[in-house]
Amino acid sequence: MFEPAVALPTADMVKRKATLTAQFALRGFEVQEVAYEFMVIRRNLSKHCPTLSAFAILSRQEGVKS
């Protein structure tokens, strides 16, 4: 799924981002965000997620509930 980098976030996107960020935090991850690109950090893991979709996919791979 393609998400253009210049699109303004919708209310659903904002809610999904907040939910995923909170779920990652509960699992001990740090999430840094710049312009809807995400960097997920935990101990020896550092993963760049260029889109919200990639962020959601990483959450499933790491077993984070969304």
Side-chain angles (χ1 to χ4, degrees), residues 8-19 36 52:
L8 295 175
T10 64
D12 290 338
M13 289 173 67
V14 172
K15 181 179 177 185
R16 187 171 184 203
K17 177 198 72 85
T19 300
Y36 271 81
L52 187 57

Side-chain angles (χ1 to χ4, degrees), residues 15-28:
K15 181 179 177 185
R16 187 171 184 203
K17 177 198 72 85
T19 300
L20 288 171
T21 301
Q23 292 296 329
F24 268 107
L26 289 172
R27 295 281 306 246

Side-chain angles (χ1 to χ4, degrees), residues 6-58:
V6 294
L8 295 175
T10 64
D12 290 338
M13 289 173 67
V14 172
K15 181 179 177 185
R16 187 171 184 203
K17 177 198 72 85
T19 300
L20 288 171
T21 301
Q23 292 296 329
F24 268 107
L26 289 172
R27 295 281 306 246
F29 289 85
E30 177 185 349
V31 177
Q32 297 178 356
E33 176 197 353
V34 176
Y36 271 81
E37 290 193 13
F38 305 93
M39 181 65 72
V40 179
I41 303 162
R42 181 178 182 192
R43 294 185 199 127
N44 63 343
L45 169 75
S46 177
K47 179 72 175 173
H48 176 251
C49 300
T51 64
L52 187 57
S53 295
F55 190 40
I57 290 168
L58 179 63

